[in-house]
Amino acid sequence: MIPHDSLFGPDNLPYGVFSAGGSAPRVGVRVGDSVVDLAAALGDDVFAAPTLNPFMAQGYDRWVAVRSRITDLVRGELPADVVHAVDDVRMHLPFEVADYVDFYASEHHASNVGRLFRPGAEPLLPNWKHLPVGYHGRAGTVVVSGTGIVRPSGQRKSPSEPAPVFGPSTRLDIEAELGFVVGTGTPPNTPIRPDDFARHVFGVVLVNDWSARDIQAWEYVPLGPNLGKSFATSISPWVVPVLALEGARVPLPGQADPEPLPYLRESASWGLDVELVVRWNGEEVSRPPYREMYWSPAQMLAHLTINGASARTGDLFASGTVSGAAKGERGSFLELAWGGAEPLTVGGEARTFLLDGDEVTITASAPGPNGTRIGFGEVTGRVLPSV
Amino acid sequence: MIPHDSLFGPDNLPYGVFSAGGSAPRVGVRVGDSVVDLAAALGDDVFAAPTLNPFMAQGYDRWVAVRSRITDLVRGELPADVVHAVDDVRMHLPFEVADYVDFYASEHHASNVGRLFRPGAEPLLPNWKHLPVGYHGRAGTVVVSGTGIVRPSGQRKSPSEPAPVFGPSTRLDIEAELGFVVGTGTPPNTPIRPDDFARHVFGVVLVNDWSARDIQAWEYVPLGPNLGKSFATSISPWVVPVLALEGARVPLPGQADPEPLPYLRESASWGLDVELVVRWNGEEVSRPPYREMYWSPAQMLAHLTINGASARTGDLFASGTVSGAAKGERGSFLELAWGGAEPLTVGGEARTFLLDGDEVTITASAPGPNGTRIGFGEVTGRVLPSV
């Protein structure tokens, strides 16, 4: 019995990898507050794997067929031995990450960061409205929600210091993002068109791209962020199928001036009306609106492959920080506290960046059919002291 | 019988993955002009795998022990059925690439690029002598030597144009580099000290980091290179063991001013006296000297993990373009032809960037014991027309 207002009703059916009672990790689907063991329920060994990769690699037609079977299953009465309470299972990283790319697709975020990192200069760089700017991150440090985040150490140098100093980051931040998981990739020299997005991208997760702003500011010229980001990137355990998000599609807010080059044009936009919520030690500090993103995820994937680069099952590409126009819609503390100059009040105290022991939780939901909502679960992490 | 002047004598013994006569790819070691089938010769199934990853993951003590056994083997008479002529086998990508990071460790290269990309400004940025600058590249498009390189398409914009145009790159270039393969990684929050380099890094390959300079110049601010590099990175099929390179170790040329922070200091330097040779359609155009690199590979790996990032078996990190002080020692055509302004003569013609049909081959050798030399084989690739 699924409560009518559940974010995990029969129109959602996100996939994850769980273990229960010490058994090996395997694929499950979330329904209400339960997890259905798919290998047991469907009698299909592809779901006995410890990652979603084998199922994702089977391709779009299988994704549709399995979703239809699961929909039938959850309408009926499930045998008790294939169902676990979500509180009784442990969730794992849902897929093996092949390559990880992080974009920078929010105009509000890119403008805010430009103002903070390059004061006095034009906040948006000349290429920004012509292509979805992005860079490769470290796939090996993508971790599942709940993993503790040890404060990273590294070099930092303020403009007033003569030389860099080494130590734990003093400007540890978050970035609230959506991540898109490639189910079936493409061989070399076969770019993916934006209109083929749903045939290649299996699902969507929440991403917290933890960022050490002091390390990043010193290292990032000219080759981009590296150590300021590579220590950890957290993702939510539930992969919401792209098939569940038809009702969330919205037009993009811009792109009339300049018009994108033909390889980036979509017949029907993959803008998504997903509303994120950021909580800092349980207190809501922001509601970033994904519908305000400038570039769609279909454009991101088209851009990633237009130079002939192949894509693989398990490739993860993230949107970059989701920030809306309003102050309470910004997806990083760098922006919310304006580089430290305008502290937030959290738990009755003035706060700028993360302290040891702080916990950040990002949740999200989107419109489903018939007035329902589709939930994304959560991505959470607590800051641990540097080692 | 190995010729005395062979670059693949008993002091080298590089590993690769080969197939012969339609059989499945497996691990071999090169001796002279032969490939020894290790699964057959040693009766050990770890070498029947299609990549070096399982063997590399066994760790340093096993690398030493197996090298010792192979040394004994090749001193004796090998059964004919475990030996193949190198001309009769096909070579494959020698390992599965986990994360790929490219550094920027040549002072001459970074200075040349700074002069070309940011004319009038200080060529080396303020962070360059304090940390090995690097960025993550696309692991999924690392290919083995001999793979054809399709000319990438993408956006480019010259300063005089009002908007970007789309099309095949007109400034396709190479970067001659060394690549270092992690055999045993490190868990999160356990940085690798420079002095532990040889316990973690299994071997060395040649790298050609193909680069579309026009795409790169337009896209690279502020997050670094992406599509200008991600279409293909070629590596040599033979992985030269770090254990074979003791005789090639040399002091680094600089690092007195500024002195590196403690986490980057080595007791004995991993500077390497490797001499690269770049041939363009068979004609030698450059001899980049690795011994002039500013940062050592041990410092690169220490930097990569100092923020708590884990490292995995199969992680590949490359040096960045190897360029010496002299013009004939530069490792990219961008530098050799000075951004197109000073063409080279190749095949009797004035040349700047790559044309369809061009072939580039990089080879290298280093001192071994007793006056011998250690060869790295080659990384080669031919440019194919855009699709």
Side-chain angles (χ1 to χ4, degrees), chain A residues 21-75:
Chain A
S23 70
R26 46 175 46 203
V27 175
V29 69
R30 181 157 176 185
V31 186
D33 293 328
S34 300
V35 179
V36 179
D37 179 336
L38 282 189
L42 299 177
D44 186 335
D45 272 355
V46 78
F47 301 110
T51 72
L52 278 165
N53 296 53
F55 172 52
M56 294 196 300
Q58 291 181 334
Y60 179 81
D61 293 345
R62 268 282 287 173
W63 310 341
V64 171
V66 167
R67 184 171 169 81
S68 168
R69 285 188 66 193
I70 299 172
T71 303
D72 290 346
L73 266 187
V74 303
R75 281 200 187 118

Side-chain angles (χ1 to χ4, degrees), chain B residues 41-266:
Chain B
L42 298 178
D44 186 334
D45 271 355
V46 78
F47 300 112
T51 72
L52 278 165
N53 296 52
F55 172 52
M56 295 196 300
Q58 291 182 334
Y60 179 81
D61 293 344
R62 268 282 286 173
W63 310 340
V64 171
V66 166
R67 184 171 168 82
S68 168
R69 285 187 66 194
I70 298 172
T71 302
D72 290 346
L73 266 186
V74 304
R75 281 203 187 115
E77 201 63 49
L78 282 161
D81 58 348
V82 306
V83 180
H84 302 265
V86 75
D87 290 340
D88 292 344
V89 304
R90 181 174 159 212
M91 299 304 297
H92 302 267
L93 195 68
F95 53 93
E96 188 183 351
V97 182
D99 269 299
Y100 166 49
V101 172
D102 197 21
F103 283 93
Y104 194 52
S106 158
E107 182 174 1
H108 304 297
H109 171 70
S111 300
N112 287 336
V113 170
R115 285 189 196 99
L116 287 161
F117 274 40
R118 297 179 295 275
E122 191 63 42
L124 277 190
L125 289 163
N127 57 15
W128 197 91
K129 289 198 170 184
H130 292 281
L131 58 88
V133 170
Y135 71 103
H136 282 73
R138 192 163 184 82
T141 55
V142 175
V143 297
V144 71
S145 175
T147 306
I149 304 299
V150 174
R151 180 180 298 275
S153 289
Q155 295 193 26
R156 60 174 180 273
K157 191 184 102 54
S158 68
S160 59
E161 290 168 327
V165 296
F166 179 84
S169 171
T170 61
R171 290 165 74 91
L172 185 58
D173 194 5
I174 65 148
E175 296 197 335
E177 312 191 3
L178 291 188
F180 303 88
V181 188
V182 172
T184 49
T186 192
N189 308 304
T190 315
I192 296 173
R193 297 175 306 133
D195 287 349
D196 288 336
F197 174 75
R199 293 195 69 85
H200 289 272
V201 174
F202 176 77
V204 185
V205 293
L206 300 176
V207 176
N208 185 344
D209 177 28
W210 305 92
S211 300
R213 300 299 181 190
D214 40 2
I215 296 173
Q216 182 187 352
W218 169 234
E219 74 174 355
Y220 91 106
V221 284
L223 302 186
N226 187 6
L227 279 285
K229 304 276 197 171
S230 66
F231 53 98
T233 305
S234 301
I235 66 172
S236 57
W238 295 109
V239 182
V240 174
V242 168
L243 293 168
L245 292 173
E246 271 300 327
R249 291 177 72 171
V250 288
L252 298 173
Q255 303 201 341
D257 179 29
E259 216 184 343
L261 283 161
Y263 79 90
L264 292 169
R265 289 183 201 153
E266 306 172 288

Side-chain angles (χ1 to χ4, degrees), chain B residues 188-368:
Chain B
N189 308 304
T190 315
I192 296 173
R193 297 175 306 133
D195 287 349
D196 288 336
F197 174 75
R199 293 195 69 85
H200 289 272
V201 174
F202 176 77
V204 185
V205 293
L206 300 176
V207 176
N208 185 344
D209 177 28
W210 305 92
S211 300
R213 300 299 181 190
D214 40 2
I215 296 173
Q216 182 187 352
W218 169 234
E219 74 174 355
Y220 91 106
V221 284
L223 302 186
N226 187 6
L227 279 285
K229 304 276 197 171
S230 66
F231 53 98
T233 305
S234 301
I235 66 172
S236 57
W238 295 109
V239 182
V240 174
V242 168
L243 293 168
L245 292 173
E246 271 300 327
R249 291 177 72 171
V250 288
L252 298 173
Q255 303 201 341
D257 179 29
E259 216 184 343
L261 283 161
Y263 79 90
L264 292 169
R265 289 183 201 153
E266 306 172 288
S267 330
S269 172
W270 277 99
L272 291 169
D273 184 17
V274 180
E275 182 163 88
L276 287 75
V277 177
V278 180
R279 288 190 179 81
W280 190 344
N281 295 336
E283 195 168 324
E284 180 178 314
V285 292
S286 179
R287 296 184 83 85
Y290 199 84
R291 67 183 166 278
E292 291 189 30
M293 299 297 276
Y294 191 89
W295 296 103
S296 84
Q299 294 177 313
M300 295 175 205
L301 183 59
H303 186 65
L304 269 186
T305 56
I306 192 61
N307 66 346
S310 53
R312 293 181 291 173
T313 298
D315 278 352
L316 170 66
F317 60 98
S319 61
T321 308
V322 183
S323 287
K327 182 160 179 179
E329 296 175 341
R330 297 173 185 167
S332 71
F333 301 155
L334 177 77
E335 294 163 87
L336 285 163
W338 206 248
E342 301 173 13
L344 304 181
T345 303
V346 180
E349 295 183 6
R351 298 296 305 278
T352 54
F353 293 101
L354 288 161
L355 299 179
D356 293 349
D358 279 353
E359 185 175 69
V360 177
T361 303
I362 303 166
T363 56
S365 66

